[in-house]
């Protein structure tokens, strides 16, 4: 039985590594060696990463790739993607190239509203609370001015504060439901700071109200926190082309491909088991760009899936139709993203990713990310309804399998060539590798 440890965070990095290696691994020297191999030789860069979180032992790499040739609203982008899944960047690049020859992607931002809530308990007469709220609202906004004044100078800030009565859900439960525009910042710290100030004002001003009973004066704030559900921070991206232009593959008529794609989307709209996987493929593209640009992919994931179930049924984030002899394919997705603040100046790779994207505004980044999601879904559906997903997937995964088996560079070259025309299932690759070695 391993004993609990006191004061782990106070240990030096070397002591932390010694402790974890000795207590939780079979081979401490090997553990230490693995952790140290990922240290950066540039001490300043290493220190930067050490200080992002507590108890850092080493760095955790993900590949950063580029999907070029994305034509979005007439601008050509090379999109940085941080992801470990073999086929994602390849699929994005393929879809980008396909739509480059067909007018590219059109994207537009439908809203930028961010949301935060102060959840509180009020034990008394709702009518009196409503009367109090009318008078306290300007005070809530005024007391938050030290936090909001810079954001206001740039055109953002608090958009509204609404009192919501949720006593139908829970006895005595009310909210200040607050909306914000945080411009190019994701805005989590800004919003949370405003909310905590609203909560302070709410409590102190309630104490002064002469028409409140003692119980009513005692507003109990439960918590003040932004919401990652942002249905009005919404972006739309779409592609379309004449039906006849849809396909490059002579094995399937373009009309047939279009019909199959529309049907595949229709299945994802009605069948939640399929919708989750369909949307997972979209998030392959979304998360990879969100991560590369230093944004909070957990926030995006939570918000997107909540949006996908806003009707009460979990459904597809993309839509497709054939109309007037055209194929149309589009996505609407909530994305609260930032291109200033957070990691954007701090993490050299994030800064570089944003430079590669031509230093986008938050709204431009929303459009780019939505396009990456749409492209990924297009690529996945096109494979799924034609050759199946494994052909392309295993081709990309081939290198992982060969690396796992310790193939040399020349063995890799021979086997990659071998699997150009054969489906690279795991067992077929293992067999071919052993045949080559034993030859
Ligand atoms: C794999 O990461 C993603 C797919 O399963 C998405 C889909 O099925 O649409 C290929």
């Amino acid at each position: 039985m391993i004993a609990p440890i006191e004061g782990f965070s106070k240990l030096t990095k070397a002591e932390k590594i010694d402790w974890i290696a000795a207590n939780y691994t079979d081979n401490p020297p090997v553990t230490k060696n693995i952790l140290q191999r990922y240290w950066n030789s540039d001490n300043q860069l290493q220190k930067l990463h050490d200080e992002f979180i507590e108890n850092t032992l080493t760095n955790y790499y993900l590949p950063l790739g580029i999907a070029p040739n994305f034509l979005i609203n007439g601008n050509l982008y090379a999109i940085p993607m941080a992801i470990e899944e073999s086929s994602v960047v390849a699929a994005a690049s393929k879809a980008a190239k396909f739509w480059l020859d067909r007018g590219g992607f059109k994207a537009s931002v439908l809203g930028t509203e961010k949301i935060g809530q102060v959840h509180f308990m009020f034990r008394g007469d709702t009518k009196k609370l409503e009367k109090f709220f009318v008078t306290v609202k300007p005070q809530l906004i005024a007391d938050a001015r030290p936090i909001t004044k810079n954001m206001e100078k740039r055109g953002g800030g608090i958009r509204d504060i609404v009192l919501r009565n949720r006593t139908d859900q829970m006895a005595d439960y009310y909210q200040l439901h607050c909306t914000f525009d945080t411009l190019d910042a994701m805005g989590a710290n800004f919003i949370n700071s405003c909310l905590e100030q609203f909560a302070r004002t709410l409590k102190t001003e309630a104490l002064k109200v002469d028409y409140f009973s003692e119980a009513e004066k005692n507003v109990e704030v439960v918590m003040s926190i932004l919401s990652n559900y942002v249905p009005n921070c919404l972006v739309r991206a779409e592609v379309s082309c004449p039906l006849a232009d849809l396909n490059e593959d002579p094995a399937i008529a373009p009309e047939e491909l279009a019909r199959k794609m529309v049907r595949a989307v229709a299945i994802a709209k009605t069948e939640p088991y399929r919708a989750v996987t369909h949307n997972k493929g979209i998030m392959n593209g979304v998360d990879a760009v969100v991560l590369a640009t230093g944004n909070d992919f957990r926030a995006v994931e939570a918000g997107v899936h909540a949006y996908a179930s806003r009707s009460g049924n979990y459904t597809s984030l993309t839509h497709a139709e054939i109309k007037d002899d055209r194929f149309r394919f589009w996505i609407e997705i909530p994305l609260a993203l930032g291109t200033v603040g957070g990691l954007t100046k701090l993490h050299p790779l994030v800064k570089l990713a944003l430079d590669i994207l031509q230093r986008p505004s938050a709204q431009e980044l929303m459009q780019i990310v939505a396009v990456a999601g749409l492209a990924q879904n297009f690529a996945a559906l096109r494979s799924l309804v034609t050759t199946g997903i494994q052909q392309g997937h295993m081709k990309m995964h081939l290198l992982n399998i060969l690396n796992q088996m310790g193939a040399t560079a020349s063995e890799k070259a021979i086997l990659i060539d071998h699997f150009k025309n054969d489906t690279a299932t795991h067992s077929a690759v293992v067999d071919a590798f052993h045949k080559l070695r034993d030859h």
Side-chain angles (χ1 to χ4, degrees), residues 134-255:
V134 172
T135 54
V136 83
K137 185 172 165 178
Q139 182 81 41
L140 293 169
I141 294 169
D143 287 357
R145 187 123 308 129
I147 306 164
T148 58
K149 64 177 191 298
N150 283 338
M151 187 68 88
E152 276 169 13
K153 261 188 231 151
R154 287 179 274 128
I158 303 161
R159 286 289 166 260
D160 202 5
I161 307 175
V162 173
L163 173 68
R164 281 187 167 185
N165 180 348
R166 306 311 305 261
T167 52
D168 57 333
Q169 306 290 318
M170 193 191 294
D172 308 325
Y173 172 36
Y174 296 83
Q175 303 165 347
L176 297 181
H177 183 86
C178 315
T179 46
F180 301 87
D181 188 342
T182 60
L183 306 172
D184 285 334
M186 194 271 190
N189 286 331
F190 172 79
I191 293 171
N192 288 333
S193 300
C194 288
L195 295 171
E196 289 185 4
Q197 181 54 53
F198 297 160
R200 280 190 289 272
T201 303
L202 184 73
K203 268 185 85 69
T204 46
E205 293 303 311
L207 285 171
K208 300 178 194 161
V209 179
D210 54 15
Y211 53 84
F212 274 175
S213 67
E214 280 312 302
E216 287 167 336
K217 281 183 179 168
N218 245 323
V219 166
E220 185 193 339
V221 172
V222 181
M223 58 192 159
S224 310
I225 188 73
L226 95 167
S227 172
N228 291 124
Y229 184 43
V230 281
N232 297 324
C233 189
L234 201 63
V235 55
R236 179 190 168 95
E238 74 168 273
V239 284
S240 77
C241 71
L243 261 190
D245 291 353
L246 188 61
N247 206 9
E248 302 160 317
D249 180 357
I252 180 164
E255 297 78 8

Side-chain angles (χ1 to χ4, degrees), residues 186 228 230 283 286-287 290 295-307 333-337 369:
M186 194 271 190
N228 291 124
V230 281
M283 300 315 283
V286 168
D287 282 342
V290 168
N295 276 282
D296 182 343
F297 66 94
R298 288 86 56 209
V300 167
E301 281 281 343
V304 165
H305 295 295
Y307 184 77
I333 187 174
L335 290 170
L337 301 176
V369 171

Side-chain angles (χ1 to χ4, degrees), residues 98-99 102 241-265 320-322 327-329 378-388:
F98 181 88
W99 287 106
R102 291 162 180 80
C241 71
L243 261 190
D245 291 353
L246 188 61
N247 206 9
E248 302 160 317
D249 180 357
I252 180 164
E255 297 78 8
E256 175 68 2
L257 178 67
R259 268 196 299 277
K260 286 185 165 210
M261 300 274 288
V262 171
R263 208 175 300 136
V265 173
E321 68 174 15
I322 299 167
F327 171 75
R328 282 181 65 230
F329 187 55
F378 177 79
L381 293 185
R382 192 166 60 155
S383 298
L384 283 168
V385 302
T386 56
T387 57

Side-chain angles (χ1 to χ4, degrees), residues 85 274 277-278 280-281 284 380 384 389:
E85 190 173 325
R274 173 57 201 151
T277 315
H278 177 97
K280 186 275 182 186
N284 279 343
L384 283 168
I389 206 74

